[in-house]
């Protein structure tokens, strides 16, 4: 079960993601060469890019329920809303590393469903998840950059608390609750991101999502179903009009639920779905001929995408479902009159094989540390992570499948040079990340792969950590010509951050460089505290003990980027505990907040334009794809 279940809630509205962009460049981590200009708004690594005053917040804004589907039948949508927490700060948007910015995670997010008055009818915790399937040119007419891109978050909502359903407006939600278990599945698509700092909607974008039923026995971050692949060009965009998609057959309800939410292009920023012609769900029969199953009734009308989140229920007969059960499905275009003349726009792999990691981002320490300082799951040593791989054929568990794993850093955003300096080298030494290179799935079609880290050394000098990419392949696909003839999903790989061993002590000479780096990278904090000042830190000792002592999944955890190693955090907490609070000489216990300075305009050499400043995920993606030699003046 997942957000694709025939019983689901659909919503749409806006989101806000406001990361600090000072930390987008590796050179900015070097305390010895840091310049004040790196904290200023501007075009390039010699500045702080497009949002140096970002606070890492992630928010849901005005997201009404647009549709309720119960057992495949649409109900009138109630006047309810999907929102974040009303009792604590917003969730946090977090990059793994400046050289892996394409798996940004959401931490500490609460999901609520409320009525117009703000009363909570349902609340739960959003399980930490990274985005995937970033599509650079979904809104091609927008001219490129992040505003043209879209991406998908999929996770579960846990620790559910249900409210009062006695009101008439909550009747359909009561039906939904009757079918729900202890957790729910959620998928949302983000696009149309606003990077224009002169706009009142700066750092806002569009969000469209679905909340469905879920089981704790299945994956949290993708769906066990039928996965459709496009052919990609060298820039990572589909050669045809459609991007990756997935669906699931429901024999008992006689339907195929197809998710085209991040597969259909849009006509413009915040606009409706673009017209790509007629679409049909089809399959290859035993004679290798295309057989049409049913039309795919997407719509280009305004509001259709927001209402459905791009999810389509396609009725099928029992005979059609049987026929589709054990043969690769595809989406074809144009007309039914001559399907053989219509090439496949999307298709399953030969044999219907698929392999996917559930969670695909992990942070590992070089040494074991106290349980309370570990990232989840706390049952594992801090230098280990278990990644679960699922293998399927035609959407069903594939037992005894062989999966190969190997180092592959091509998905990381590696810079050839930064500001004329050699960029930090990623993925080395390989000996610091150990894992089996061949694994076999169990009777339930999955296998848990253990990754163990050791000290990578100070390879990246001022970064004091290393990142690794690991790609996985299903043997059945490697044994065919599929890998050579088709593009695999570039998002389907594993990203690891490995912290080097901390050799410092719990004293100010060891703590000062750590805090200086955070003072450099997060200039917003200067409104409240000078993170590089021993006096300021001890003045606010009690507050710092609180925020550094929280679980990393808490939105108030410090630092907001989760890039502080557990060993360094322990040293900071020990130092704070070993020192008394220091009163300020001016008698104030806290720094008086000052208003944030407005972003500075670009230099006169840069022409004024209403076009948003480049330098977000698009720039990172271009570095990954080898299209751009990293230079300070490009944007």
């Amino acid at each position: 079960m997942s957000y694709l279940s025939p019983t689901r809630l659909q919503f749409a509205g806006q989101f806000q993601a406001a990361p600090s962009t000072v930390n987008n460049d590796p050179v900015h981590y070097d305390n010895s060469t840091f310049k004040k200009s790196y904290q200023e708004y501007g075009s390039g690594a010699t500045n702080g890019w497009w949002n140096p005053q970002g606070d890492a917040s992630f928010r849901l804004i005005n997201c009404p329920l647009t549709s309720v589907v119960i057992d495949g039948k649409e109900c009138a949508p109630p006047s309810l809303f999907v929102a974040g927490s009303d009792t604590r700060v917003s969730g946090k948007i977090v990059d793994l590393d400046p050289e892996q910015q394409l798996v940004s995670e959401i931490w500490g997010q609460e999901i609520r469903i409320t009525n117009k008055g703000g009363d909570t009818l349902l609340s739960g915790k959003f399980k930490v998840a990274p985005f995937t399937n970033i599509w650079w040119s979904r809104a091609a007419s927008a001219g490129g950059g992040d505003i043209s891109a879209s991406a998908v978050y999929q996770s579960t909502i846990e620790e559910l608390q249900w409210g009062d359903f006695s009101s008439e407006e909550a009747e359909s939600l009561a039906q939904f609750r009757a079918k729900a278990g202890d957790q729910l599945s959620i998928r949302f698509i983000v696009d149309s991101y606003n990077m224009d700092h002169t706009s009142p909607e700066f750092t806002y974008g569009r969000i469209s999502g679905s909340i469905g039923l879920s089981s704790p026995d299945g994956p949290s971050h993708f769906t066990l179903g039928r996965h459709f692949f496009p052919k990609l060009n060298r820039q990572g965009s589909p050669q045809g009009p459609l991007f990756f998609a997935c669906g699931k057959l429901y024999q008992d309800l006689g339907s195929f639920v197809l998710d085209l939410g991040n597969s259909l292009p849009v006509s413009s920023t915040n606009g409706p779905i673009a017209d790509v012609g007629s679409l049909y769900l089809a399959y290859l029969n035993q004679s290798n001929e295309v057989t049409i199953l049913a039309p795919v009734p997407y719509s280009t009308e305004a509001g259709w995408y927001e209402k459905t989140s791009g999810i389509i229920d396609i009725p099928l007969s029992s005979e059609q479902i049987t026929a589709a059960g054990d043969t690769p499905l595809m989406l074809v275009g144009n007309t039914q009159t001559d399907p053989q003349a219509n090439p496949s726009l999307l298709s399953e792999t030969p044999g219907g094989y698929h392999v996917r990691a559930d969670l695909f981002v992990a942070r590992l320490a070089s040494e074991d540390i106290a349980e309370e300082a570990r990232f989840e799951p706390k049952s594992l040593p801090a230098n280990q992570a278990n990644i679960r791989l699922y293998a399927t054929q035609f959407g069903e568990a594939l037992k005894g499948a062989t999966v190969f794993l190997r180092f592959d850093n091509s998905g990381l955003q590696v810079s050839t040079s930064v500001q004329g300096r050699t960029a930090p080298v990623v993925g080395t030494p390989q000996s610091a990340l150990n894992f089996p290179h061949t694994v076999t799935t169990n009777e339930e079609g999955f296998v848990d792969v253990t990754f163990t880290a050791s000290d990578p050394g100070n390879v990246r000098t001022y970064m004091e950590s290393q990142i690794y990419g690991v790609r996985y392949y299903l043997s059945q696909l490697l044994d065919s010509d599929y890998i050579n003839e088709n593009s695999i999903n570039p998002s389907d790989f594993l990203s690891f951050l490995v912290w080097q061993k901390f050799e410092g002590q719990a004293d100010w000479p060891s703590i000062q460089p750590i805090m200086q780096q955070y003072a450099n990278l997060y200039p917003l904090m200067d409104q409240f505290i000078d993170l590089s000042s021993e006096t300021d830190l001890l003045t606010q000792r009690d507050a710092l003990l609180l925020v550094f002592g929280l679980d990393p999944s808490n939105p108030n955890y410090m630092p907001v980027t989760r890039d502080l190693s557990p060993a360094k955090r322990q040293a900071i907490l020990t130092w704070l505990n070993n020192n008394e609070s220091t009163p300020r000489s001016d008698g104030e216990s806290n720094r008086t907040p000052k208003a944030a300075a407005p972003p500075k305009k670009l230099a006169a050499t840069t022409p004024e334009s209403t076009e948003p400043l480049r330098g977000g995920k698009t720039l990172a993606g271009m570095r990954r794809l080898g299209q751009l030699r990293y230079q300070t003046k490009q944007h």
Side-chain angles (χ1 to χ4, degrees), residues 251-282:
Q251 187 167 5
D252 55 337
L253 295 175
S255 69
F256 184 73
V257 183
L258 177 64
D259 180 7
L260 294 180
N262 195 46
S263 182
L264 291 164
V266 294
S267 59
S268 60
T269 304
N270 289 309
I273 297 298
D275 189 350
V276 298
S278 299
L279 292 178
Y280 298 90
L281 181 67

mmCIF file of all heavy atoms in Angstrom, residues 251-282:
data_model
loop_
_atom_site.group_PDB
_atom_site.id
_atom_site.type_symbol
_atom_site.label_atom_id
_atom_site.label_comp_id
_atom_site.label_asym_id
_atom_site.label_seq_id
_atom_site.Cartn_x
_atom_site.Cartn_y
_atom_site.Cartn_z
ATOM 1 N N GLN A 251 -6.423 -5.665 -8.699
ATOM 2 C CA GLN A 251 -7.314 -6.635 -9.332
ATOM 3 C C GLN A 251 -8.688 -6.635 -8.686
ATOM 4 O O GLN A 251 -9.704 -6.747 -9.379
ATOM 5 C CB GLN A 251 -6.700 -8.028 -9.271
ATOM 6 C CG GLN A 251 -7.467 -9.078 -10.056
ATOM 7 C CD GLN A 251 -6.662 -10.359 -10.233
ATOM 8 O OE1 GLN A 251 -5.579 -10.481 -9.695
ATOM 9 N NE2 GLN A 251 -7.198 -11.305 -10.985
ATOM 10 N N ASP A 252 -8.742 -6.473 -7.353
ATOM 11 C CA ASP A 252 -10.023 -6.533 -6.666
ATOM 12 C C ASP A 252 -10.937 -5.374 -7.045
ATOM 13 O O ASP A 252 -12.163 -5.500 -7.019
ATOM 14 C CB ASP A 252 -9.817 -6.575 -5.148
ATOM 15 C CG ASP A 252 -8.983 -5.413 -4.641
ATOM 16 O OD1 ASP A 252 -8.217 -4.831 -5.446
ATOM 17 O OD2 ASP A 252 -9.080 -5.074 -3.459
ATOM 18 N N LEU A 253 -10.345 -4.230 -7.415
ATOM 19 C CA LEU A 253 -11.145 -3.069 -7.793
ATOM 20 C C LEU A 253 -11.224 -2.894 -9.303
ATOM 21 O O LEU A 253 -11.901 -1.990 -9.793
ATOM 22 C CB LEU A 253 -10.568 -1.795 -7.158
ATOM 23 C CG LEU A 253 -10.614 -1.737 -5.635
ATOM 24 C CD1 LEU A 253 -9.915 -0.489 -5.136
ATOM 25 C CD2 LEU A 253 -12.059 -1.761 -5.142
ATOM 26 N N GLY A 254 -10.511 -3.728 -10.046
ATOM 27 C CA GLY A 254 -10.536 -3.631 -11.496
ATOM 28 C C GLY A 254 -9.973 -2.334 -12.022
ATOM 29 O O GLY A 254 -10.579 -1.686 -12.885
ATOM 30 N N SER A 255 -8.791 -1.947 -11.512
ATOM 31 C CA SER A 255 -8.229 -0.673 -11.964
ATOM 32 C C SER A 255 -6.703 -0.710 -11.917
ATOM 33 O O SER A 255 -6.096 -1.513 -11.193
ATOM 34 C CB SER A 255 -8.741 0.485 -11.109
ATOM 35 O OG SER A 255 -8.221 0.414 -9.793
ATOM 36 N N PHE A 256 -6.125 0.171 -12.702
ATOM 37 C CA PHE A 256 -4.696 0.444 -12.667
ATOM 38 C C PHE A 256 -4.552 1.898 -12.268
ATOM 39 O O PHE A 256 -5.057 2.800 -12.941
ATOM 40 C CB PHE A 256 -4.053 0.200 -14.039
ATOM 41 C CG PHE A 256 -2.557 0.384 -14.047
ATOM 42 C CD1 PHE A 256 -1.731 -0.555 -13.455
ATOM 43 C CD2 PHE A 256 -1.977 1.497 -14.630
ATOM 44 C CE1 PHE A 256 -0.348 -0.405 -13.452
ATOM 45 C CE2 PHE A 256 -0.595 1.659 -14.644
ATOM 46 C CZ PHE A 256 0.223 0.710 -14.051
ATOM 47 N N VAL A 257 -3.892 2.141 -11.122
ATOM 48 C CA VAL A 257 -3.699 3.502 -10.637
ATOM 49 C C VAL A 257 -2.326 3.968 -11.117
ATOM 50 O O VAL A 257 -1.301 3.389 -10.760
ATOM 51 C CB VAL A 257 -3.805 3.581 -9.104
ATOM 52 C CG1 VAL A 257 -3.678 5.026 -8.642
ATOM 53 C CG2 VAL A 257 -5.142 3.000 -8.641
ATOM 54 N N LEU A 258 -2.335 5.006 -11.939
ATOM 55 C CA LEU A 258 -1.124 5.483 -12.612
ATOM 56 C C LEU A 258 -0.757 6.872 -12.107
ATOM 57 O O LEU A 258 -1.597 7.771 -12.080
ATOM 58 C CB LEU A 258 -1.356 5.528 -14.119
ATOM 59 C CG LEU A 258 -0.230 6.071 -14.998
ATOM 60 C CD1 LEU A 258 0.998 5.178 -14.915
ATOM 61 C CD2 LEU A 258 -0.710 6.200 -16.447
ATOM 62 N N ASP A 259 0.485 7.047 -11.701
ATOM 63 C CA ASP A 259 0.972 8.341 -11.223
ATOM 64 C C ASP A 259 1.798 9.014 -12.322
ATOM 65 O O ASP A 259 2.930 8.625 -12.595
ATOM 66 C CB ASP A 259 1.825 8.156 -9.969
ATOM 67 C CG ASP A 259 2.354 9.486 -9.427
ATOM 68 O OD1 ASP A 259 1.940 10.545 -9.947
ATOM 69 O OD2 ASP A 259 3.173 9.462 -8.490
ATOM 70 N N LEU A 260 1.218 10.036 -12.934
ATOM 71 C CA LEU A 260 1.911 10.850 -13.928
ATOM 72 C C LEU A 260 2.204 12.245 -13.388
ATOM 73 O O LEU A 260 2.481 13.173 -14.148
ATOM 74 C CB LEU A 260 1.077 10.957 -15.213
ATOM 75 C CG LEU A 260 0.858 9.662 -15.998
ATOM 76 C CD1 LEU A 260 0.023 9.939 -17.249
ATOM 77 C CD2 LEU A 260 2.177 9.016 -16.377
ATOM 78 N N GLY A 261 2.160 12.392 -12.061
ATOM 79 C CA GLY A 261 2.315 13.711 -11.458
ATOM 80 C C GLY A 261 3.618 14.394 -11.792
ATOM 81 O O GLY A 261 3.659 15.611 -12.012
ATOM 82 N N ASN A 262 4.720 13.632 -11.808
ATOM 83 C CA ASN A 262 6.018 14.198 -12.174
ATOM 84 C C ASN A 262 6.472 13.657 -13.523
ATOM 85 O O ASN A 262 7.662 13.652 -13.840
ATOM 86 C CB ASN A 262 7.074 13.876 -11.106
ATOM 87 C CG ASN A 262 8.320 14.729 -11.243
ATOM 88 O OD1 ASN A 262 8.250 15.943 -11.415
ATOM 89 N ND2 ASN A 262 9.486 14.100 -11.184
ATOM 90 N N SER A 263 5.521 13.217 -14.308
ATOM 91 C CA SER A 263 5.825 12.659 -15.622
ATOM 92 C C SER A 263 5.323 13.552 -16.744
ATOM 93 O O SER A 263 5.953 13.646 -17.801
ATOM 94 C CB SER A 263 5.206 11.265 -15.753
ATOM 95 O OG SER A 263 5.509 10.677 -16.992
ATOM 96 N N LEU A 264 4.192 14.211 -16.532
ATOM 97 C CA LEU A 264 3.630 15.115 -17.532
ATOM 98 C C LEU A 264 4.277 16.494 -17.409
ATOM 99 O O LEU A 264 4.420 17.017 -16.306
ATOM 100 C CB LEU A 264 2.125 15.245 -17.341
ATOM 101 C CG LEU A 264 1.294 14.003 -17.664
ATOM 102 C CD1 LEU A 264 -0.089 14.130 -17.064
ATOM 103 C CD2 LEU A 264 1.213 13.793 -19.179
ATOM 104 N N PRO A 265 4.655 17.107 -18.537
ATOM 105 C CA PRO A 265 5.194 18.466 -18.472
ATOM 106 C C PRO A 265 4.076 19.473 -18.193
ATOM 107 O O PRO A 265 2.889 19.159 -18.342
ATOM 108 C CB PRO A 265 5.785 18.673 -19.869
ATOM 109 C CG PRO A 265 4.948 17.791 -20.751
ATOM 110 C CD PRO A 265 4.601 16.588 -19.910
ATOM 111 N N VAL A 266 4.456 20.668 -17.781
ATOM 112 C CA VAL A 266 3.486 21.739 -17.579
ATOM 113 C C VAL A 266 3.720 22.823 -18.624
ATOM 114 O O VAL A 266 4.831 22.997 -19.142
ATOM 115 C CB VAL A 266 3.561 22.334 -16.159
ATOM 116 C CG1 VAL A 266 3.133 21.301 -15.132
ATOM 117 C CG2 VAL A 266 4.951 22.850 -15.836
ATOM 118 N N SER A 267 2.653 23.553 -18.933
ATOM 119 C CA SER A 267 2.718 24.534 -20.015
ATOM 120 C C SER A 267 3.491 25.777 -19.633
ATOM 121 O O SER A 267 4.029 26.474 -20.494
ATOM 122 C CB SER A 267 1.302 24.919 -20.452
ATOM 123 O OG SER A 267 0.574 25.461 -19.352
ATOM 124 N N SER A 268 3.560 26.063 -18.316
ATOM 125 C CA SER A 268 4.243 27.261 -17.845
ATOM 126 C C SER A 268 4.446 27.140 -16.343
ATOM 127 O O SER A 268 3.909 26.227 -15.702
ATOM 128 C CB SER A 268 3.429 28.514 -18.164
ATOM 129 O OG SER A 268 2.157 28.449 -17.524
ATOM 130 N N THR A 269 5.196 28.061 -15.772
ATOM 131 C CA THR A 269 5.376 28.076 -14.326
ATOM 132 C C THR A 269 4.027 28.198 -13.635
ATOM 133 O O THR A 269 3.224 29.080 -13.978
ATOM 134 C CB THR A 269 6.262 29.263 -13.918
ATOM 135 O OG1 THR A 269 7.490 29.183 -14.634
ATOM 136 C CG2 THR A 269 6.543 29.240 -12.432
ATOM 137 N N ASN A 270 3.757 27.320 -12.689
ATOM 138 C CA ASN A 270 2.477 27.279 -11.979
ATOM 139 C C ASN A 270 1.301 27.012 -12.914
ATOM 140 O O ASN A 270 0.148 27.191 -12.530
ATOM 141 C CB ASN A 270 2.225 28.574 -11.207
ATOM 142 C CG ASN A 270 3.125 28.713 -10.013
ATOM 143 O OD1 ASN A 270 3.235 27.805 -9.197
ATOM 144 N ND2 ASN A 270 3.802 29.854 -9.896
ATOM 145 N N GLY A 271 1.590 26.594 -14.154
ATOM 146 C CA GLY A 271 0.539 26.426 -15.130
ATOM 147 C C GLY A 271 -0.007 25.016 -15.180
ATOM 148 O O GLY A 271 0.459 24.108 -14.482
ATOM 149 N N PRO A 272 -1.012 24.803 -16.019
ATOM 150 C CA PRO A 272 -1.628 23.481 -16.150
ATOM 151 C C PRO A 272 -0.728 22.528 -16.926
ATOM 152 O O PRO A 272 0.324 22.900 -17.447
ATOM 153 C CB PRO A 272 -2.916 23.781 -16.917
ATOM 154 C CG PRO A 272 -2.593 25.004 -17.722
ATOM 155 C CD PRO A 272 -1.657 25.815 -16.870
ATOM 156 N N ILE A 273 -1.168 21.286 -17.027
ATOM 157 C CA ILE A 273 -0.440 20.258 -17.765
ATOM 158 C C ILE A 273 -0.400 20.626 -19.249
ATOM 159 O O ILE A 273 -1.392 21.093 -19.821
ATOM 160 C CB ILE A 273 -1.121 18.890 -17.573
ATOM 161 C CG1 ILE A 273 -1.066 18.472 -16.092
ATOM 162 C CG2 ILE A 273 -0.486 17.832 -18.452
ATOM 163 C CD1 ILE A 273 0.321 18.302 -15.538
ATOM 164 N N ALA A 274 0.743 20.419 -19.866
ATOM 165 C CA ALA A 274 0.893 20.686 -21.290
ATOM 166 C C ALA A 274 0.256 19.566 -22.112
ATOM 167 O O ALA A 274 0.152 18.416 -21.662
ATOM 168 C CB ALA A 274 2.371 20.826 -21.646
ATOM 169 N N ASP A 275 -0.153 19.891 -23.306
ATOM 170 C CA ASP A 275 -0.777 18.924 -24.202
ATOM 171 C C ASP A 275 0.309 18.083 -24.873
ATOM 172 O O ASP A 275 1.133 18.604 -25.631
ATOM 173 C CB ASP A 275 -1.600 19.659 -25.253
ATOM 174 C CG ASP A 275 -2.461 18.714 -26.089
ATOM 175 O OD1 ASP A 275 -2.274 17.480 -25.977
ATOM 176 O OD2 ASP A 275 -3.313 19.205 -26.855
ATOM 177 N N VAL A 276 0.343 16.781 -24.588
ATOM 178 C CA VAL A 276 1.311 15.882 -25.221
ATOM 179 C C VAL A 276 0.609 14.906 -26.155
ATOM 180 O O VAL A 276 1.193 13.901 -26.559
ATOM 181 C CB VAL A 276 2.129 15.114 -24.158
ATOM 182 C CG1 VAL A 276 2.937 16.072 -23.311
ATOM 183 C CG2 VAL A 276 1.222 14.245 -23.277
ATOM 184 N N GLY A 277 -0.638 15.198 -26.500
ATOM 185 C CA GLY A 277 -1.383 14.309 -27.377
ATOM 186 C C GLY A 277 -2.059 13.189 -26.610
ATOM 187 O O GLY A 277 -1.981 13.102 -25.383
ATOM 188 N N SER A 278 -2.716 12.329 -27.317
ATOM 189 C CA SER A 278 -3.420 11.202 -26.696
ATOM 190 C C SER A 278 -2.410 10.210 -26.117
ATOM 191 O O SER A 278 -1.360 9.962 -26.704
ATOM 192 C CB SER A 278 -4.303 10.488 -27.716
ATOM 193 O OG SER A 278 -5.284 11.369 -28.229
ATOM 194 N N LEU A 279 -2.754 9.672 -24.958
ATOM 195 C CA LEU A 279 -1.909 8.671 -24.308
ATOM 196 C C LEU A 279 -2.726 7.402 -24.071
ATOM 197 O O LEU A 279 -3.923 7.460 -23.756
ATOM 198 C CB LEU A 279 -1.385 9.190 -22.963
ATOM 199 C CG LEU A 279 -0.384 10.355 -22.982
ATOM 200 C CD1 LEU A 279 -0.027 10.747 -21.557
ATOM 201 C CD2 LEU A 279 0.855 9.976 -23.761
ATOM 202 N N TYR A 280 -2.034 6.256 -24.198
ATOM 203 C CA TYR A 280 -2.698 4.976 -23.989
ATOM 204 C C TYR A 280 -1.799 4.064 -23.174
ATOM 205 O O TYR A 280 -0.585 4.019 -23.380
ATOM 206 C CB TYR A 280 -3.016 4.304 -25.330
ATOM 207 C CG TYR A 280 -3.953 5.114 -26.188
ATOM 208 C CD1 TYR A 280 -3.446 6.038 -27.095
ATOM 209 C CD2 TYR A 280 -5.332 4.985 -26.075
ATOM 210 C CE1 TYR A 280 -4.296 6.807 -27.874
ATOM 211 C CE2 TYR A 280 -6.188 5.742 -26.845
ATOM 212 C CZ TYR A 280 -5.664 6.661 -27.742
ATOM 213 O OH TYR A 280 -6.516 7.419 -28.514
ATOM 214 N N LEU A 281 -2.422 3.348 -22.239
ATOM 215 C CA LEU A 281 -1.735 2.280 -21.526
ATOM 216 C C LEU A 281 -1.759 1.053 -22.419
ATOM 217 O O LEU A 281 -2.813 0.665 -22.944
ATOM 218 C CB LEU A 281 -2.439 1.997 -20.201
ATOM 219 C CG LEU A 281 -1.827 0.920 -19.314
ATOM 220 C CD1 LEU A 281 -0.459 1.360 -18.795
ATOM 221 C CD2 LEU A 281 -2.761 0.603 -18.139
ATOM 222 N N ALA A 282 -0.588 0.434 -22.603
ATOM 223 C CA ALA A 282 -0.492 -0.674 -23.548
ATOM 224 C C ALA A 282 0.485 -1.723 -23.031
ATOM 225 O O ALA A 282 1.151 -1.527 -22.005
ATOM 226 C CB ALA A 282 -0.047 -0.158 -24.925
#
